[in-house]
Amino acid sequence: MPRTITPAPWEELVTTALLGTDRRPTARDGGVAGLLDAAALHTVRRRAGLRPAAPAARPEPAPVDRRPPLPPAARRRLAQLLADRSASAGSVGRRGTAPDLTELIPQWLATANQQGFRAPAALLPALLDAARARTDLRPQALTFAGPRGLWLAGLNPEWKFALRGSSGGSSLPGPTEPEAVTRLWEEGLFAERVALLGAVRAHDPVAALALLATTWTTERAEDRLMFLDSLRTGLSSVDEPFLEQALSDRSRNVRSTAAELLSALPESALAGRMASRALSCVSPDLTGDEASVAVEAPHECDAAMERDGVVAAPPSGRGERSWWLGQLVEATPLATWPARFGGRSAQEIVGLPVADGWAEELHAAWCRATVRQRDPEWARALLGAPSLPPSNGPGTASLAERSKLLGILPSAERAGWVADFIAAHGLSEAFQLLGVCPTPWAGPLGRAVVDALDIARDAGSYPWSFSGVMGLAERCLNPAEADRLEVLTTTPDEPEDASPGANGYWSEAFQRLVSTLRLRAAMDSELTPAV
């Protein structure tokens, strides 16, 4: 005879399951079996009692993307690149002669965007997954994904990153829609407002400044900082009154950013005030046989200096006076110094001896001023001849600072300077410098890199110390260098003083480099429209 199951409240069944049937009998003393039977009965009753819910609204159809489709070969290549990304996720220290397809995705996307192709709809999920995992891919990946990618991202919370700064995937109002611009600025989400301010600034800097001024006093400090940063685009003397007011902002970060922007305007009142202070600290000394630079660092940081962006408290281990001096010189227009030093050029000023051990601090501040003001003449002067070792150069010995200085020079001049540096010093100190060179590395720079790698290989150098340069070469060398590198893929006999296994590693690395360059050539060919 089948056992009768008496219904029990769900809360009672949960309590019994937690305490145990021996301590809390249930289902009319049916034990464990009774508990399970009662739970099954209750589950069936709950499911049977569900009422149909109202269906969710269907999503709007995906927008039309009118860009031309990828050629079939390029489409297959993209699928291969994205599949390899998933397969190699988490792998570290890849070896062997096969190209690292994951590292070629940014270059492929850049070329596809230059050609104006649209992303295949079927590959959009994999493309968005790749962009979610790697922030460096996002700008190019989202451009390639286009309006359909943003539409799809709006349906999956894991891809919400794509909607940040994109106005939720919708079009921003244009300059002919002032009412829509005002409404979005006053009512939009923060990401939408940032994108809107940037768009208006790119079209009409004065209108963007006026828009920002309407709500400036009611914005949060962190939002004011982000909005203020957008004024870097199209910065001009028109922005000076607004930035002068921002020097009195409640937030120290906002004040600091306002001061930095004003110091980039050589004719601004702040630049003049900072120049006056710096000139009282740095002056020519003509009393000896040859001219030199005399330095008298500030003895205090008063309230007016702090309002103009000078941070009073130095970092740990840094002297107050040198800290204040560096900030004053950094914010001073570089055009101030030739007049101060009797009409001397930037190169002549930088070459003057500096008294009392202040040379390193003064030159480092001039480097920062040069980067901020984007002055090629001073960049050349502070870099000096590429044949000079960094420690003996006229400017800073920091390779990071020298990279920033190089970034100011025209592309061809930058590549030529680095090529000469590599020819003089090899690759051991060139990694950061190569990172700012235009790609692909062609002409003297490409030859200098290949020759330096060949010299390191022949010398039996420790090969793993060049792995970073090898990785850069795979992505940046001109693919036309592949044939010239073919001869380096063999494995010669190792010198007695070479690192064990070094030649085998070099051979493997050069084979991978050659195969990667040839693959890049094939990728470019696949993305080139047929004539």
Side-chain angles (χ1 to χ4, degrees):
M1 180 176 180
R3 181 160 50 89
T4 301
I5 303 174
T6 305
W10 180 253
E11 292 76 10
E12 179 181 334
L13 297 178
V14 171
T15 302
T16 301
L18 291 173
L19 296 177
T21 55
D22 54 337
R23 299 179 57 190
R24 179 71 177 263
T26 189
R28 305 302 180 261
D29 299 329
V32 174
L35 173 64
L36 296 176
D37 289 342
L41 175 63
H42 200 286
T43 301
V44 172
R45 290 178 63 196
R46 293 179 67 183
R47 288 177 177 174
L50 286 177
R51 295 181 178 179
R58 290 185 177 183
E60 293 293 325
V64 176
D65 190 340
R66 302 191 183 281
R67 294 176 295 176
L70 280 173
R75 178 185 174 122
R76 290 192 294 271
R77 182 73 67 189
L78 175 60
Q80 180 189 16
L81 294 174
L82 294 175
D84 186 80
R85 183 202 71 82
S86 300
S88 62
S91 63
V92 179
R94 175 181 289 204
R95 290 286 305 273
T97 61
D100 186 350
L101 300 186
T102 301
E103 292 303 317
L104 298 181
I105 297 177
Q107 192 172 80
W108 189 97
L109 288 171
T111 305
N113 286 331
Q114 288 171 3
Q115 298 291 355
F117 291 119
R118 73 166 181 259
L123 294 179
L124 283 174
L127 182 65
L128 291 171
D129 278 340
R132 180 174 64 119
R134 287 179 56 178
T135 56
D136 63 308
L137 290 180
R138 290 181 183 178
Q140 294 282 10
L142 294 180
T143 298
F144 184 56
R148 288 191 169 188
L150 292 178
W151 171 84
L152 189 62
L155 303 177
N156 184 348
E158 292 188 352
W159 298 329
K160 62 183 179 181
F161 69 88
L163 305 179
R164 297 172 189 150
S166 66
S167 188
S170 60
S171 299
L172 293 171
T176 59
E177 305 171 278
E179 293 182 0
V181 168
T182 301
R183 183 167 57 253
L184 183 59
W185 177 250
E186 294 177 349
E187 302 174 3
L189 300 175
F190 176 67
E192 294 174 324
R193 300 177 73 215
V194 170
L196 176 66
L197 187 62
V200 175
R201 183 73 177 179
H203 174 76
D204 186 346
V206 176
L209 185 65
L211 185 67
L212 178 58
T214 60
T215 60
W216 177 256
T217 57
T218 62
E219 304 287 358
R220 300 182 305 167
E222 55 268 34
D223 294 351
R224 293 199 304 277
L225 182 62
M226 288 289 291
F227 293 142
L228 195 63
D229 200 61
S230 70
L231 300 186
R232 296 181 191 277
T233 301
L235 183 67
S236 71
S237 58
V238 175
D239 301 311
E240 183 178 356
F242 182 87
L243 293 173
E244 273 285 344
Q245 290 183 345
L247 291 176
S248 302
D249 196 88
R250 300 184 302 276
S251 165
R252 187 180 74 177
N253 289 335
V254 172
R255 295 195 302 270
S256 177
T257 300
E260 179 188 346
L261 293 173
L262 283 168
S263 68
L265 296 171
E267 303 301 323
S268 68
L270 179 136
R273 295 193 296 269
M274 298 300 267
S276 177
R277 295 176 182 123
L279 289 175
S280 69
C281 299
V282 181
S283 60
D285 184 354
L286 305 177
T287 58
D289 295 335
E290 61 176 352
S292 62
V293 181
V295 175
E296 180 65 30
H299 290 274
E300 64 173 343
C301 180
D302 56 30
M305 288 171 61
E306 288 195 63
R307 183 182 183 275
D308 283 346
V310 177
V311 178
S316 177
R318 184 80 179 273
E320 285 184 334
R321 297 183 65 199
S322 64
W323 172 245
W324 299 331
L325 174 71
Q327 293 179 79
L328 295 182
V329 173
E330 178 182 355
T332 296
L334 291 165
T336 303
W337 301 111
R340 179 63 161 168
F341 285 88
R344 287 178 171 84
S345 67
Q347 184 174 0
E348 291 170 331
I349 295 171
V350 170
L352 292 174
V354 182
D356 302 325
W358 284 104
E360 182 177 352
E361 182 65 51
L362 181 60
H363 286 183
W366 274 335
C367 285
R368 295 193 297 273
T370 300
V371 172
R372 180 181 295 186
Q373 298 171 40
R374 311 295 297 175
D375 191 305
E377 182 186 357
W378 275 85
R380 295 183 188 100
L382 290 162
L383 282 167
S387 58
L388 289 174
S391 57
N392 297 338
T396 174
S398 165
L399 290 173
E401 291 290 341
R402 291 162 79 85
S403 298
K404 294 177 182 177
L405 293 172
L406 277 170
I408 300 170
L409 302 181
S411 297
E413 183 180 356
R414 191 187 321 162
W417 195 96
V418 176
D420 291 341
F421 181 92
I422 292 171
H425 310 294
L427 288 167
S428 58
E429 295 185 310
F431 182 78
Q432 285 181 291
L433 305 181
L434 284 168
V436 299
C437 289
T439 56
W441 300 338
L445 179 58
R447 290 193 295 272
V449 171
V450 172
D451 291 345
L453 287 171
D454 189 15
I455 291 170
R457 169 182 176 268
D458 288 344
S461 300
Y462 193 64
W464 292 273
S465 60
F466 294 91
S467 59
V469 175
M470 273 292 190
L472 268 181
E474 291 174 16
R475 300 188 295 276
C476 300
L477 262 179
N478 190 326
E481 296 285 345
D483 291 341
R484 194 161 75 90
L485 286 162
E486 186 71 47
V487 69
L488 303 179
T489 60
T490 59
T491 308
D493 296 333
E494 290 185 356
E496 291 184 1
D497 57 345
S499 301
N503 277 354
Y505 175 90
W506 280 113
S507 174
E508 180 182 281
F510 278 120
Q511 289 178 57
R512 183 168 60 249
L513 177 56
V514 169
S515 61
T516 301
L517 294 178
R518 287 178 174 156
L519 175 58
R520 284 175 49 208
M523 286 167 41
D524 289 343
S525 164
E526 293 163 357
L527 286 166
T528 302
V531 179

